[in-house]
């Protein structure tokens, strides 16, 4: 199955989610048979989880349009960009979601451009301290930790946050175990 085909399924299924926790929404979709433990489909799932939680919490966005934009941006992000480009797709996906919420673009002067860069910097800094190899599930949780804090601080809505204990370490051949903040 191609990443584009997975993106269509993610968007279809994520629209059915009703919660305000991006982490729980992510977990619900990550359990689907079409989702891999790692892969570029996370570049769509992560930001989409934040957008759906934001909308469900009372955020004012056209969800269909926002998810369409997020999927288009996520499909432009190649797999393995964490190792090859030095930036994590989970974090860029959540950053794209924030840009969609704010309508931010490369010429924005309203402060959102810099705010999103600070979000990305904080989240990438945490991943840098954890170190690799990649884990799309761990990286998503770091992106959500910072993304939830950002949304709750800037948008007048409250996204739920929850303690995370990894359920994927047994199927992740590259699990870093005790070095991961979510290892259980």
């Amino acid at each position: 199955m191609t990443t584009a085909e997975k993106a269509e399924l993610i968007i279809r299924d994520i629209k059915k989610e009703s919660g305000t926790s991006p982490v729980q929404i992510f977990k619900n979709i990550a359990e689907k048979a079409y989702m891999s433990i790692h892969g570029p489909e996370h570049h769509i799932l992560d930001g989409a989880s934040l957008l759906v939680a934001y909308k469900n919490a009372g955020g004012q966005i056209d969800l269909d349009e926002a998810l369409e934009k997020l999927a288009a941006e996520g499909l432009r992000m190649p797999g393995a960009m964490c190792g090859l480009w030095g930036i994590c797709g989970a974090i860029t996906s959540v950053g794209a979601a924030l840009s969609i919420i704010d309508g931010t673009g490369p010429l924005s002067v309203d402060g959102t451009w810099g705010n999103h860069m600070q979000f990305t910097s904080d989240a990438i800094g945490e991943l840098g301290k954890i170190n690799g190899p990649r884990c799309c599930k761990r990286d998503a949780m770091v992106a959500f930790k910072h993304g939830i804090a950002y949304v709750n601080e800037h948008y007048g809505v409250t996204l739920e946050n929850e303690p995370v204990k990894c359920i994927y370490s047994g199927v992740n051949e590259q699990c870093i175990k005790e070095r991961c903040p979510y290892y259980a």
Side-chain angles (χ1 to χ4, degrees), residues 47-48 51 54 60-63 65-74 93-105 116 155:
L51 288 172
Y54 172 78
Q60 299 300 306
I61 57 170
D62 178 327
L63 187 59
E65 181 182 320
L67 290 171
E68 182 180 313
K69 287 180 183 178
L70 191 281
E73 292 303 322
S93 180
V94 172
L98 298 176
S99 292
I100 291 165
I101 291 168
D102 285 323
T104 303
H116 300 163
Y155 297 129

Side-chain angles (χ1 to χ4, degrees), residues 72-154:
E73 292 303 322
L75 287 169
R76 293 180 349 138
M77 300 176 202
M81 59 191 280
C82 56
L84 300 174
W85 289 9
I87 186 72
C88 169
I91 292 168
T92 55
S93 180
V94 172
L98 298 176
S99 292
I100 291 165
I101 291 168
D102 285 323
T104 303
L107 303 178
S108 294
V109 295
D110 61 358
T112 59
W113 188 95
N115 290 343
H116 300 163
M117 292 294 177
Q118 190 60 56
F119 153 77
T120 303
S121 174
D122 292 344
I124 257 328
E126 183 172 342
L127 281 186
K129 289 176 186 166
I130 294 169
N131 203 353
R134 62 87 174 97
C135 173
C136 292
K137 304 303 195 248
R138 174 197 66 222
D139 298 354
M141 294 308 114
V142 170
F144 290 139
K145 173 183 164 185
H146 292 271
I148 290 167
Y150 185 94
V151 167
N152 289 350
E153 180 181 337
H154 289 91

